Amino acid sequence: MAQARVSSLAVAGASLVAAAASLSGCMKPAARLAVAQPAPMTTPVRGEQTQPLPIRIGLPVDPGPALQNGKVHALPSTIDIPPNAASNGAAYYYQGGSMIAFDLVRASVRWRRTAQGLPNTIVATPYGVAFVQQYPQPLTYLSAQTGAQIFGVKDTTVSGALDGVLFAKNNDTFSFFAADAKTGEKLWGTYGGGMQIAGPPQIRDGTLLQPFVDDGAILETRLYAFDPANGHAKWDTLSNAQPLGFRSNVVYVDSTWFPEQMDNYMPLTVAAIDIRSGKKLDEFTYAPDPQQNAATYRNSNMKAYVAGGFVYLKVNGTWYRYDADRDASDAHPSRLQNVDIVAAFDSGTLLANSGHNAYVATGSESAMTLRTLPGGAIRSPVAQGANGIAYAVAGTTLYRFNSQGDPHAVGSVGCGSVEAVLPWPGHVAVMCAHHEELFADSSQAAPVAIAPQRIPQGRLALHAFTLPPAPGFMHQWWVGPVTPSSNGGVVMSLDHGALNFAGAIAYVSKDGRIRTIPDGRDLAPPPPGSRFAPTQPRSQWPPKPTTIVQDTSGNVWFNNALWPVLYKLDTANRLTNSVVGETSANAWRRGAIRLARGPDGQAWFARSHPTREIARADGSRAFPIPLQYGDALILVPARDGFWFLSQTQLVHMTLTGRFTATPLPAELQNVRTGPGLRVTSAGDALWIASGAYVARMNERGVLAHYNLPDATLGVNAMVTGCDGSLYIAENAPEVLRLRPGAKSFERYDIEYRQLDGFTRTPDCTIWFVEGSNMPTQHVGTLAQ
């Protein structure tokens, strides 16, 4: 799989080169070089050969007699598109610049309201209709009876409604929230979801499942799982469509990573996910009959279901079947001759067409049995309700199917062209080309119980100062680490852009005065006789620090993310640097050093490969790191020395050079210094966060551990207050606080999209830095 991903990215890179070459056509042509053309690459086609699955014809289904012919209404001449949402006797559609509520019982327009732009989604509830007008119009919610606006929410997309609760995503704050559909009151909100709504929500085994599109290096559709009572995100996983099916506490998802399809014949990969934990139980790829389908399957309308222990996959107009939860080659690959699957139910029952007839189909390991459904072939969309009831028209009969797929005849449909089937409690309407047929259907399934709680959210006051804009075309800083300064403020590094243009060291005083070095003045030369060498030209610095400290003399020390170099900016603005440890040319390719301020008020560093030591930055003291403790990946101050993390251990070192170690828990094993890991000192212990797991540790091991409220959010920064509270900034406009002895986090909204740095000054003030990609960047303090 990894090899396929690499090759697909290589193809993308080649496309960019080709595009650049085509753009250069408007320039003076360069002399042509004779270049040997590489042989065309061929990807081996792999997959499974299939055999026809035996089809048996069983006894016809007896769905009972149709109850009625339905009440036929002529549709108003203003309707030329079918409504696509209905509830409580009203159907809703957009036409001619208006949102229209059509009374299905009276066959007349109940109300119309001017709307700007075609809505992308219309969601109906017993109380009204929600829709999003053309950007930048807000999410609008109108009364079912009068069309009056009940509420509106700026820059928000609605995903669906369950049991009178609306679910929506605010695209400005990235908050996924639940609201009372009757009043618009917000019940809960969470930042643990994806970016853009990608389909309706559903409840399974007490879990709210919602698909999103996440925008990163590529667009990916992912399935997120929430606690419906409070909105806490449980997990997320790649899922290119709505869930394919369910089994007990398992959800099956389409986990095909589409760049792989650029390189291989790979129609479908199915992952089985534990709904409760998000753990991937298994994952298999299916590629039937490669000799027939490999060259053309991408152009087909692929569909898939997982039901009754089988995976059903449609490729190039043919349905295939595999045993679920088995390797494809060992899953009895077979194909269904002349059978088109229309819907699948939880029990494994299928609704299918074959020829001019509709069938209720059931599968066994050796065959498929088709039972004729009277009336003719399915000729309408299958309308699936939130309560598990589905409706479809087969020939001249309207059928209702319960969650197990058992059919029941509702009524006879006389129209020749079915445009839509719209159910709501107690009734179902069949919308035809020129009229509507309305049926009573009193049999109802139990509602989906979600019982959301009204969750109050506090607000955290921030006292902020605006950072000066960066020079150059980007006008934004890449904010680096922040550390306390000697005057009660902070010192931090600022990098301009990914290519490190015009960086600076910024000094921020308690009253918000901000000074950057360089600031238009030349840096002073290094002092005579210094063991440090002059640094590179001013435009090249600072070279992406990952740690920064100020010692008691006012010197600012910082490192380089890519090189084993130690930089010193003294109080006279003299900048010098020195290679730490090995001095050969190879030293410049051995990675960064780690920095921390020691309990003696001096700057210390840790270095691994090939020099393994923890030492003072001024060179006065050094302690070699014994081999058994591994590499010092992160250096953190302790009361009597330092902590450092290796891949598998937490190591404590005193200022006398005594080392002790304890194994990291499994959740923190093989950690690296990437964005998923954050560490902060806590006096006689330290806090370590990786993913959604947070642990307080010392040399005795784990003292306490917690899971973040939202398992899908990342930790940007952590700091401890003087009272022992832990503060966490997430990739969201909120801050978490864990008080000493508390069992769960408190959540606080903030006015900024996210914070990227924390530190605490000796007077117990907690400072923050607002991160990159913000219209205006800030540094300041937060109220505790």
Side-chain angles (χ1 to χ4, degrees), residues 177-538:
F177 66 91
D180 188 314
K182 187 175 184 179
T183 65
E185 178 186 3
K186 185 177 178 180
L187 303 175
W188 51 251
T190 180
Y191 301 108
M195 295 191 67
Q196 299 292 335
I197 295 294
Q202 58 181 304
I203 299 284
R204 287 284 179 158
D205 296 316
T207 297
L208 173 66
L209 300 175
Q210 172 66 59
F212 289 95
V213 173
D214 279 346
D215 184 2
I218 59 175
L219 292 176
E220 284 188 341
T221 302
R222 304 186 69 84
L223 184 67
Y224 282 71
F226 299 91
D227 184 333
N230 54 32
H232 289 177
K234 296 180 176 181
W235 50 264
D236 69 288
T237 187
L238 179 67
S239 180
N240 295 308
Q242 285 283 348
L244 304 178
F246 299 88
R247 172 181 58 81
S248 185
N249 290 314
V250 175
V251 55
Y252 292 93
V253 301
D254 175 358
S255 61
T256 314
W257 203 66
F258 69 87
E260 286 192 311
Q261 295 180 331
M262 298 169 60
D263 305 320
N264 300 278
Y265 168 50
M266 189 174 297
L268 179 68
T269 300
V270 175
I273 308 295
D274 188 311
I275 294 179
R276 298 161 297 185
S277 65
K279 179 182 178 181
K280 184 183 292 185
L281 304 177
D282 60 52
E283 186 175 58
F284 299 106
T285 296
Y286 306 93
D289 292 341
Q291 299 304 320
Q292 176 182 342
N293 295 315
T296 59
Y297 85 94
R298 297 184 188 90
N299 297 321
S300 68
N301 182 18
M302 196 193 77
K303 294 177 63 177
Y305 300 104
V306 179
F310 299 104
V311 175
Y312 296 92
L313 167 64
K314 186 178 184 180
V315 179
N316 286 335
T318 299
W319 281 92
Y320 297 87
R321 196 189 79 169
Y322 294 82
D323 299 339
D325 302 309
R326 293 187 187 178
D327 185 86
S329 61
D330 190 39
H332 300 99
S334 57
R335 60 183 179 274
L336 311 182
Q337 304 284 63
N338 302 316
V339 174
D340 184 37
I341 300 173
V342 178
F345 300 93
D346 287 353
S347 62
T349 299
L350 306 174
L351 183 59
N353 280 334
S354 183
H356 298 290
N357 294 307
Y359 295 91
V360 173
T362 55
S364 65
E365 185 172 332
S366 59
M368 172 175 283
T369 299
L370 302 181
R371 302 179 63 202
T372 306
L373 189 65
I378 302 296
R379 62 186 184 97
S380 77
V382 177
Q384 183 75 45
N387 57 7
I389 300 296
Y391 295 87
V393 176
T396 59
T397 305
L398 172 65
Y399 286 97
R400 169 176 42 82
F401 302 85
N402 64 16
S403 61
Q404 301 303 304
D406 300 323
H408 182 83
V410 176
S412 299
V413 177
C415 64
S417 175
V418 178
E419 303 288 342
V421 178
L422 299 174
W424 77 97
H427 297 84
V428 57
V430 178
M431 309 300 292
C432 304
H434 301 290
H435 68 268
E436 163 211 353
E437 300 193 22
L438 182 64
F439 300 87
D441 182 23
S442 59
S443 57
Q444 296 298 314
V448 178
I450 59 176
Q453 307 166 9
R454 287 169 175 79
I455 308 297
Q457 187 94 349
R459 191 160 186 88
L460 192 64
L462 305 178
H463 183 57
F465 312 111
T466 302
L467 286 171
F473 68 95
M474 292 184 65
H475 302 290
Q476 288 181 341
W477 299 107
W478 289 57
V479 176
V482 58
T483 191
S485 69
S486 56
N487 64 359
V490 293
V491 184
M492 59 183 167
S493 71
L494 301 171
D495 294 328
H496 185 203
L499 298 180
N500 200 28
F501 297 127
I505 297 296
Y507 296 82
V508 185
S509 66
K510 294 182 68 173
D511 59 2
R513 287 177 291 126
I514 301 174
R515 178 172 61 98
T516 60
I517 303 293
D519 57 358
R521 296 172 295 173
D522 289 334
L523 297 170
S530 170
R531 73 182 184 91
F532 291 92
T535 188
Q536 57 258 60
R538 186 179 70 185

Side-chain angles (χ1 to χ4, degrees), residues 671-729:
V671 295
R672 296 294 187 268
T673 56
L677 180 69
R678 294 292 183 267
V679 179
T680 185
S681 178
D684 60 345
L686 76 167
W687 288 97
I688 311 172
S690 179
Y693 180 82
V694 183
R696 187 171 184 267
M697 290 190 66
N698 62 16
E699 67 272 18
R700 296 190 301 273
V702 175
L703 307 178
H705 63 92
Y706 301 83
N707 289 317
L708 298 183
D710 292 321
T712 61
L713 283 179
V715 177
N716 286 347
M718 298 197 304
V719 68
T720 52
C722 286
D723 66 347
S725 292
L726 174 67
Y727 295 84
I728 291 179

